[in-house]
Amino acid sequence: MSPSSQPPDPARTPRASLLTLGCARNDIDSEELAGRLSADGWQVVDSADAPDVIVVNTCGFVEQAKKDSVDTLLAAADIAAGSGAKVVAVGCLAERYGAELAASLPEADAVLGFDHYATVSERLADVVAGRPIAAHTPVDRRTLLPITPTARPSAALDVAVPGHGWVPDVSRRRLSDAPVAPLKLASGCDRRCSFCAIPSFRGAFVSRPPAEVLAEAAWLAEHGVRELVLVSENSTSYGKDLPSSGGLEALLPRLAEVPGIDRVRVSYLQPAEVRPRLLEVIATTPGIAPYFDLSFQHASEPVLRRMRRYGSIEAFLGICEQVRALSPEAGIRSNVIVGHPGETVEDLAVLEDFLIGARLDAVGVFGYSDEEGTEAAGYDGKLPAEDVAARVERVSTLVGELTAQRAEDRIGTTVSVLVDATDNGRAAGRAEHQAPEVDGECELTGDPTVSAGELVTGVVVASDGVDLVVDVKSSLESRSRTP
């Protein structure tokens, strides 16, 4: 640590704020940055509390996410203009475009890539002091690790992989007091979906060792977390580069036994890699939410093949049937892309037939757009933007009707709900089939004394879209010992 990153005078302690966009993986990366800054003597504050530097953790997933990131950087620059604060871009957009972003966005005082994260305190001290930092030149991060997954663990020690290398109170600082928190299983992806650029800037797939994941889970429990949401680019690949780990089906029961953790939820499952034993473990292990976040993307075989993905309507309905045979009330959610190059009206009808038959609890509907550097960007058969938008509206309308029906089907069932928040007599939380922010919530009635972080049981008495109204019957004792 350089002297400039930790001034000796406490009255001059440097202050940084963090603004985070994008997915839960970015949330974890921001907490890692906050942990490193705090360990090096920085105060992590709100952007309204006179920071010396505003760090914007950007998203570079799709066009709208890029626009939102740029807009947030410009808004941060407006905030900084009156105070003399600096603005720094980090995250996926910064990693993906590097010097190009720096040149096109002079409002940002620096653009830092993943390779800067380990020395973020020093780099921000440089920015505050007016010392220029050259933005990095992006590379395809898949080329930084061996092709063979089992050769990656030792090589990864020399490559910046955000969220890996757990050191308590240095690797992470919570930026929320919510009773739920994401926990990173792995980084990167080895799949080559034709529409997706993420592997090029997140890199090849690298699992975190089980001991590291378990240690962070225990730390999160000690800091008030009751539900873990396991995230990665592809959770079904967990452990393939760690042959002795036993994979995700071996890790999940161990996570469910962490004292203080009442619920573990898995996200980002790849249908091509799901295994019967993994489905069984998720559906039947106490403490693991019977929740299946399956990335179907489409159901028409010709479209899936152009996407470089596995599947068919029969195969995907078969997975849903396997899940519900194990756990009839299990939650299943997915995302779909409509308007992919070459998608016909008949292909769209197959997707709609699948959605009708699958009875999913939640579906994200996205319209295709070209992503630089992807195979699909060079495809023929592209649809006009207005046709893509019309298909998004059509499928979204169908999804709204189907998911509302699925929620209505839950009326009369008993659910366990983790209370997320209480405010002015209103309490809300999520049942096992509802992930944070994306799958709706439960409004709790019948017991105004519940508090955030409490696990309660109740009966579903009404629904509104994907949201449920639950009449609370009792508070559940923690499934595991409070740490």
Side-chain angles (χ1 to χ4, degrees):
M1 179 176 60
S2 67
S4 61
S5 67
Q6 188 175 359
D9 182 1
R12 292 174 55 83
T13 299
R15 299 157 68 87
S17 69
L18 287 155
L19 303 178
T20 306
L21 296 95
C23 64
R25 299 184 291 277
N26 254 18
D27 291 334
I28 296 172
D29 291 350
S30 285
E31 293 196 347
E32 178 189 346
L33 292 171
R36 292 182 179 276
L37 289 167
S38 297
D40 287 345
W42 285 71
Q43 289 187 55
V44 178
V45 300
D46 188 83
S47 59
D49 294 335
D52 297 298
V53 58
I54 302 173
V55 180
V56 180
N57 191 353
T58 61
C59 179
F61 178 39
V62 293
E63 199 60 38
Q64 185 59 51
K66 298 176 197 173
K67 181 180 183 302
D68 291 344
S69 293
V70 170
D71 289 345
T72 302
L73 283 162
L74 293 174
D78 288 340
I79 295 171
S83 65
K86 305 293 185 179
V87 175
V88 173
V90 300
C92 292
L93 191 70
E95 175 63 38
R96 185 175 180 184
Y97 293 104
E100 181 183 346
L101 178 63
S104 62
L105 196 70
E107 291 85 356
D109 296 283
V111 174
L112 306 182
F114 296 150
D115 292 331
H116 291 109
Y117 281 19
T119 57
V120 65
S121 299
E122 297 176 35
R123 300 293 74 78
L124 295 191
D126 288 337
V127 172
V128 172
R131 294 186 287 270
I133 301 174
H136 73 289
T137 300
V139 298
D140 187 333
R141 295 190 74 84
R142 292 171 293 191
T143 64
L144 302 181
L145 291 170
I147 293 176
T148 304
T150 53
R152 292 175 190 161
S154 58
L157 297 175
D158 299 320
V159 176
V161 185
H164 291 235
W166 174 246
V167 181
D169 297 319
V170 175
S171 294
R172 187 167 182 176
R173 171 184 165 176
R174 293 210 71 200
L175 297 175
S176 165
D177 59 0
V180 57
L183 174 59
K184 186 174 289 188
L185 284 174
S187 293
C189 184
D190 288 339
R191 305 196 72 83
R192 295 294 182 267
C193 301
S194 65
F195 56 83
C196 182
I198 290 176
S200 67
F201 54 86
R202 279 290 183 178
F205 185 88
V206 182
S207 300
R208 298 178 68 193
E212 186 175 302
V213 177
L214 290 164
E216 187 169 353
W219 180 88
L220 287 166
E222 292 169 359
H223 287 76
V225 172
R226 290 294 170 264
E227 177 180 324
L228 301 173
V229 180
L230 306 182
V231 301
S232 69
E233 274 74 30
N234 177 7
S235 297
T236 30
S237 278
Y238 178 78
K240 74 175 186 179
D241 49 337
L242 306 171
S244 62
S245 72
L248 190 56
E249 40 274 70
L251 178 65
L252 286 174
R254 298 177 68 187
L255 282 167
E257 294 172 355
V258 172
I261 297 299
D262 290 304
R263 192 154 73 192
V264 179
R265 183 183 305 278
V266 186
S267 58
Y268 305 111
L269 296 172
Q270 171 61 244
E273 298 179 33
V274 295
R275 306 169 290 279
R277 177 57 183 160
L278 178 58
L279 296 180
E280 181 182 357
V281 168
I282 294 174
T284 63
T285 303
I288 304 298
Y291 174 83
F292 296 84
D293 177 11
L294 290 157
S295 177
F296 292 124
Q297 301 298 356
H298 213 280
S300 166
E301 289 188 69
V303 174
L304 287 165
R305 299 306 170 265
R306 285 173 72 85
M307 288 179 166
R308 303 298 183 203
R309 294 181 66 85
Y310 149 90
S312 65
I313 184 171
E314 295 81 11
F316 291 166
L317 288 174
I319 293 174
C320 295
E321 290 170 3
Q322 290 179 63
V323 166
R324 293 197 171 110
L326 292 163
S327 177
E329 297 302 323
I332 308 177
R333 85 167 324 273
S334 191
N335 295 312
V336 298
I337 297 173
V338 298
H340 190 273
E343 182 190 64
T344 65
V345 172
E346 291 76 18
D347 293 324
L348 192 67
V350 172
L351 174 60
E352 292 172 329
D353 287 344
F354 165 69
L355 293 170
I356 292 168
R359 296 172 55 242
L360 304 178
D361 291 273
V363 184
V365 182
F366 298 90
Y368 172 84
S369 62
D370 283 340
E371 280 297 310
E372 300 167 57
T374 63
E375 181 182 354
Y379 282 176
D380 58 10
K382 291 179 183 173
L383 301 177
E386 57 270 24
D387 289 354
V388 175
R391 293 186 181 193
V392 169
E393 183 176 0
R394 170 176 163 172
V395 175
S396 296
T397 299
L398 174 64
V399 161
E401 296 170 354
L402 294 171
T403 54
Q405 291 170 10
R406 176 66 175 153
E408 188 175 348
D409 289 342
R410 293 187 181 275
I411 294 175
T413 63
T414 299
V415 294
S416 61
V417 178
L418 180 68
V419 182
D420 284 331
T422 58
D423 182 36
N424 295 325
R426 179 183 182 272
R430 291 168 297 100
E432 290 184 310
H433 70 280
Q434 295 170 319
E437 299 181 1
V438 294
D439 296 336
E441 65 177 12
C442 297
E443 181 177 351
L444 303 178
T445 64
D447 186 353
T449 64
V450 298
S451 57
E454 189 175 353
L455 196 65
V456 300
T457 184
V459 175
V460 180
V461 295
S463 65
D464 181 7
V466 296
D467 296 329
L468 304 178
V469 178
V470 175
D471 185 26
V472 175
K473 297 302 181 184
S474 63
S475 177
L476 296 174
E477 290 185 6
S478 177
R479 184 189 49 80
S480 51
R481 184 181 72 254
T482 300

